[in-house]
Amino acid sequence: MLLLVLAPAIAGAAEGTTPYRWRNVAIGGGGFVTGIEFHPTERDLAYARTDVGGAYRWDAAARRWIPLTDWIGHADANLMGIESIAIDPSDPGRVYLAAGTYTHERAGNGAILRSLDRGATFERRDLPFKLGGNELGRGNGERLAVDPNDGRVLFLGSRAHGLWHSEDHGARWKRVDAFPALATAESAGASNWRKQSIGIVFVQFDPASGAAGAPTPVMYAAVSSREGGLFRSRDAGSTWEPVPGQPTGLRPNHMVRDARGDFLLSYGDEPGPDRMNNGAVWRYSPASGAWADITPAAQSTDLEGDGFGWGAVAVDAQNPDVVVATTFNRWAPRDDIYRSTDGGRSWSPVFERSEFDHSASPWTAQAKPHWMADIEIDPHDPDRVLFVTGYGLWASRDMSAMDGGGTVHWIFDDAGLDETVPLDLISPPEGAPLVSGLGDIDGFRHDDLTRTTTQFARPPRYSNTESLDYAGQQPSLLVRAGHLHHPDPAIVRAAYSRDGGSTWTAFTREPPASEGEGRLAIAVSADGGRVIWQARGGPHWITDNHGGRWQKVRGLPTSAVFAADRFQPALWYGFDPVSGKLFVSGDGGVAFEEADGGVGAVGDWFRGELLPSSENTGVVYFAASWRGLMRWGGGQLERLPGVENAFVAGLGAPKPGSTTPAIFVHGQVDGAGGLYRSDDGGRHWLRIDDAQHRFGKPRMLTGDARVHGRVYLATGGRGIIYGEPTP
């Protein structure tokens, strides 16, 4: 057992703030945009919501999306998932967000975020129940709606707690006890495959039934149920009844009103997005009470049979005969948009007469539109049609070209909407300033932080790149470990690159019995000669020839994280958050020994990293949550002063003239939570975030290896954010 001394912390403190400029590393999409809302009276005013990355407003002058929820901090990160957006048709300044990502017991309650200035600022009103912006049915909607005749009145459909009503612009909320589907709403998840409650999926008003200044009498609300989930009120929500004659056997997901006063509804057998195997599109005419099945499948021989559903339907605000609808989970030959110019009597597929411009985000050329859970026709420009996907948002500028036999042109109109989940980041001292591992879209080499690029070159292609590392003395040698959404035994889940991530070669094979319960982890020795790989929860394995042969690492608990020294090939480190023990290897990672005097248990939920210094051998840092920020070196373990809680930490280039790496930490310093930087080994701290830039709960961070002060944040859904000191 190696002797390790816990050194007393030297007094330190936060010393004010330093202004930073925050921007996205340009990826160009990557995550699920779940809904779009256009304002009916003001041109170019539109909003988008995402499942984990907050909400956005369209800036027509800049041709990009402006994030509206970056002010949400660590304690409220659950509010980054947006269940629904509502605009006030009578007041373009007002916008409302129903915020809350999960309904599980560890998640906090949802909230209504109210804005009078188009989302520049918000006021929060907490709800007594949870919302599920990243759960099944998240593309349905809208669950939140403003009365078009009386902007004081809002209704919100919940997942498990019925229908709610506000009469004061969303300041106070009361449950509508008379809503007859409460029991159904609470159990509506019983027949979906994940057993999640879906509840009330949309609220829709009939504005023609009322007059300005008074609550609209006729309104609708739909429960995600196959037993006939559409309900109507004729007295502004006081009493409710099922709509007669409605279809059964499918779940409603969207409802829109056309200029004639008819309503169009899309249906699926499941709420989506994971599954949908059947569906339909229906027209409902309140004047006559008639229902008509206008599903494109009824007129299109290439759509015969089940196997997919319908994600959304939209209608031209000026011409009720122009209707579009999206297929959902139609994997073969592909999802598509169907368009009708005669009110749904006949339909034409759009994509076979379309061209897609991938120049804004080159990597999208390798993706196909899917999870098309919402589609909208700009009420001020019917040539502009927007539809969402699981990786971003597409927009047309010439939809009417179809009418003359021409081609529809689509652009990836996703600038600023970098809703991705980064899983790991490295900044090597040479080559690209940043290399990223991402959820769902593999990973990127970022040679230019301001321009989008292509994904890692195939082969291999992973769904997620979960872990990255570089060899300290050969920084162009990278290794990565990845996850596949659809496991393929022919694809090895580890790869290496000798050119800084431009090209990759898969390891020869994975080690035997390599299954684990958690994410994959990988690290490479300083000289690039040895690699340790682990499926978290399983054993650690080491190879010296990129998977040609493997042997088990000795002495490391399966719960331990690990890293290689950046200078000495023989030196490796380990930390077990379950026991709080530290481990070291002096034989190249083959065997580890316990170092006497750890930090104490942190918890098996710990997902932090060991951070070997790029300036000094034998020194490693790590964030230990409520046990603080630790520096381990020279046989001593020191808790850096002033840091009461360290969620994640990273190292960057030292201040000019210094050999002490810049230390970044997201946590609590001197009682205040935020993002901090120290240039003197933790003796003094500067706060570098501000009230408008909190970015939820960063998953990890790293400083730039060459640019002092630059830091990269792996957010929980807002993509990769980088900050630099302002001049």
Side-chain angles (χ1 to χ4, degrees), residues 102-124:
Y102 296 110
T103 61
H104 58 66
E105 62 182 13
R106 299 186 307 278
N109 285 342
I112 299 297
L113 308 179
R114 313 185 305 157
S115 177
L116 296 172
D117 52 15
R118 305 169 190 243
T121 61
F122 282 95
E123 181 184 61
R124 171 178 173 173

Side-chain angles (χ1 to χ4, degrees), residues 35-37 45-48 56-57 65 68 85 87 92 95 118:
I36 308 164
E37 284 291 298
L45 181 56
Y47 297 89
Y56 300 77
R57 184 186 68 247
W65 295 91
L68 304 180
I85 288 182
I87 50 90
V95 62
R118 305 169 190 243

